[in-house]
Amino acid sequence: MSEFAHRMETMAGTAEVVKNLFAALGDPELISLGIGAPASEALPVDIVREITNDVLRLDTRGIEALQYGPVMGVKDLREVVAEQLLAPKGVKTDADHIMITVGGLEAISLTCQLFINPGDVILVESPTFVHAVETFEMFEARCIGVRMDDDGMEVEDLENKIRQYHPKMIYTIPTFQNPTGRTLSQARRKRVAELSAMYDVLVLEDDPYRDIRYSGEDLLPIKSFDTTGNVILGNSFSKIFSAGSRIGYIVGNDRVMEMLQRAKTASNSQTSMLPQIQCAEFFKRGYYEKHHKLICDLYRERRDVMMECLDKYFPEGTKHTRPDGGLFTWAELPGGLNTTELLKEAVSRKDVKVSYIAGEKFFTDGERITNCMRISFGAVPPDKIRIATERLGRMFCSKL
Ligand SMILES: Cc1ncc(COP(=O)(O)O)c(C=O)c1O
């Protein structure tokens, strides 16, 4: 058989993590703090069933749902995005400047198709979302990490690295970041937009957790401070509607939209119609408000239980983030504990049987920090959070 293309080497990491996570789901005794999926209780199954029955009975919408559709996506869904999701967050745009994508992931890869040439530098938060890094590497970009603190990416380090590396793009997950749960402060959001204008660098603002805020004050997206069109906003319906529907969106100016249409036509020509229509109807029929409250209440409770349990069961000296939203927290263990090595034991030992994602995977450009871990609480019921953290904590403490 012919040899595979070189780019396939860059795609091994996430595929391996995802394979292991899903394999672990097949073991009923194992509790997964690894998977970043929404809670099953947060999926609006009954509402979607009702909407789908209705839609398929209506001649015009039924046919629309099963036919080829527009490259940009279903118009009323794009209007929903502009009016219900972006306008309240200070982003002034309209349906003509929004494209519906195959999940938030396609927003990332389409942006690369438009802008990234081999050898281009992309500045990323350190640590960051591995999946995005793999996409960047598939386009033969070089990723350079920017330091973070509790307020997200450090903008002084960002500016230094812009001067040093002349990047093509800055990739940021400003709200309840994957993997850390940290949020970029309002002042820094403004500064990122200023730096992008000052040095003419593109920003890809990937914000799929923004709408799951259950405490603290809402912040404006970086896009709302954009004066040049350099900020491209990507988002997803995976965490607020349905992950399996695979719908997301990308927001840009006229020129970006023109190029996006070319790139999307060449790659898959459109996003599936039925999920777009189900989602548009979900918002237009007014279900979102109640659903949004339900998921925020659900995740807030899980966050609170997770915070309490980490403080109670993890070794003294453990540091962890306290997110105001989203699905993850990030813990740094004391005493030189290595989360990559301990993971094998945590999954296989009969008295532990808990998985998580070792933090090492989330660092780029050779930086390897081995005492940290991403812990997902979103999809885990509170009683299981208690059991899993107690078992893991006991194992970690025994190693010190
Ligand atoms: C930061 C980030 N961006 C994008 C995505 C992709 O989301 P989607 O399911 O919409 O493709 C995820 C999903 O976990 C994510 O964490």
Side-chain angles (χ1 to χ4, degrees):
M1 192 185 177
S2 289
E3 279 190 21
F4 290 108
H6 297 314
R7 79 177 65 84
M8 292 313 297
E9 287 158 26
T10 70
M11 297 182 208
T14 310
E16 195 58 26
V17 173
V18 171
K19 197 170 98 194
N20 290 340
L21 286 174
F22 279 90
L25 288 184
D27 179 348
E29 282 177 43
L30 188 122
I31 304 177
S32 173
L33 302 180
I35 204 133
S40 43
E41 299 86 339
L43 300 174
V45 178
D46 293 335
I47 300 171
V48 173
R49 184 186 305 112
E50 181 198 307
I51 289 174
T52 310
N53 280 338
D54 256 19
V55 158
L56 293 180
R57 266 194 230 110
L58 296 173
D59 265 352
T60 48
R61 274 244 117 158
I63 286 166
E64 189 191 357
L66 300 185
Q67 188 53 283
Y68 285 123
V71 178
M72 290 287 282
V74 166
K75 178 106 187 271
D76 52 351
L77 182 57
R78 289 184 283 126
E79 285 165 356
V80 161
V81 171
E83 289 155 24
Q84 298 193 34
L85 296 176
L86 296 177
K89 311 282 173 186
V91 178
K92 294 189 191 77
T93 189
D94 56 33
D96 292 339
H97 297 91
I98 296 164
M99 172 184 273
I100 305 299
T101 55
V102 181
L105 286 176
E106 199 193 21
I108 299 174
S109 69
L110 283 172
T111 305
C112 291
Q113 284 188 53
L114 260 56
F115 290 102
I116 302 302
N117 288 315
D120 282 345
V121 168
I122 302 180
L123 298 182
V124 300
E125 284 141 351
S126 180
T128 190
F129 179 43
V130 204
H131 219 125
V133 170
E134 285 180 355
T135 304
F136 300 152
E137 288 176 349
M138 188 170 73
F139 284 89
E140 297 178 57
R142 180 176 164 214
C143 294
I144 303 283
V146 176
R147 282 199 307 267
M148 294 183 91
D149 62 20
D150 284 344
D151 284 333
M153 189 161 47
E154 292 181 23
V155 282
E156 296 75 23
D157 194 42
L158 176 66
E159 184 165 8
N160 288 339
K161 286 184 172 145
I162 293 175
R163 287 168 184 261
Q164 185 180 350
Y165 293 103
H166 308 289
K168 184 70 182 274
M169 185 163 93
I170 301 162
Y171 170 70
T172 176
I173 308 155
T175 325
F176 318 132
Q177 195 237 16
N178 184 358
T180 63
R182 290 174 184 140
T183 291
L184 192 69
S185 68
Q186 191 73 80
R188 288 187 183 180
R189 288 167 188 246
K190 193 158 177 273
R191 184 66 184 150
V192 171
E194 281 166 9
L195 292 173
S196 145
M198 203 189 302
Y199 294 96
D200 198 18
V201 190
L202 199 71
V203 174
L204 173 55
E205 177 177 26
D206 183 18
D207 218 4
Y209 302 99
R210 182 195 62 209
D211 294 310
I212 335 175
R213 173 180 283 281
Y214 34 74
S215 59
E217 275 202 13
D218 211 5
L219 301 176
L220 297 173
I222 300 170
K223 181 72 185 157
S224 70
F225 301 107
D226 182 24
T227 52
T228 58
N230 272 348
V231 182
I232 295 186
L233 177 62
N235 212 318
S236 164
F237 286 100
S238 288
K239 308 298 182 321
I240 56 171
F241 173 65
S242 144
S245 296
R246 309 304 303 126
I247 38 179
Y249 58 91
I250 182 164
V251 186
N253 64 13
D254 284 336
R255 191 88 186 100
V256 169
M257 284 298 137
E258 192 189 325
M259 292 295 159
L260 275 176
Q261 288 188 63
R262 288 190 202 173
K264 176 96 176 156
T265 308
S267 52
N268 56 23
S269 105
Q270 62 163 95
T271 302
S272 296
M273 292 296 284
L274 182 57
Q276 291 189 69
I277 290 173
Q278 289 164 330
C279 186
E281 293 291 333
F282 177 77
F283 278 85
K284 283 169 52 185
R285 295 179 185 201
Y287 288 116
Y288 179 61
E289 199 179 326
K290 192 163 163 216
H291 180 72
H292 183 248
K293 184 175 176 332
L294 179 147
I295 61 176
C296 286
D297 289 347
L298 179 95
Y299 292 135
R300 184 187 310 103
E301 185 194 4
R302 294 179 181 192
R303 186 271 320 261
D304 288 345
V305 174
M306 179 58 83
M307 298 295 109
E308 178 201 318
C309 290
L310 290 178
D311 292 339
K312 190 162 162 192
Y313 299 122
F314 270 39
E316 213 183 312
T318 299
K319 289 193 208 142
H320 64 81
T321 54
R322 193 185 165 78
D324 279 322
L327 310 177
F328 317 113
T329 181
W330 177 255
E332 292 172 17
L333 303 181
L337 292 178
N338 182 318
T339 52
T340 307
E341 285 167 13
L342 290 167
L343 178 60
K344 294 179 206 118
E345 199 177 323
V347 172
S348 57
R349 246 172 69 172
K350 280 206 166 0
D351 62 332
V352 185
K353 284 252 167 200
V354 177
S355 68
Y356 57 83
I357 304 200
E360 215 183 331
K361 299 243 180 268
F362 298 97
F363 293 92
T364 55
D365 66 286
E367 197 183 7
R368 288 281 171 253
I369 300 180
T370 54
N371 70 329
C372 40
M373 58 203 285
R374 190 190 81 175
I375 305 175
S376 305
F377 50 80
V380 196
D383 57 328
K384 290 207 166 161
I385 292 180
R386 289 183 205 283
I387 298 170
T389 46
E390 184 177 2
R391 290 189 198 158
L392 263 187
R394 197 183 322 121
M395 184 183 113
F396 292 153
C397 290
S398 73
K399 306 285 176 190
L400 288 168

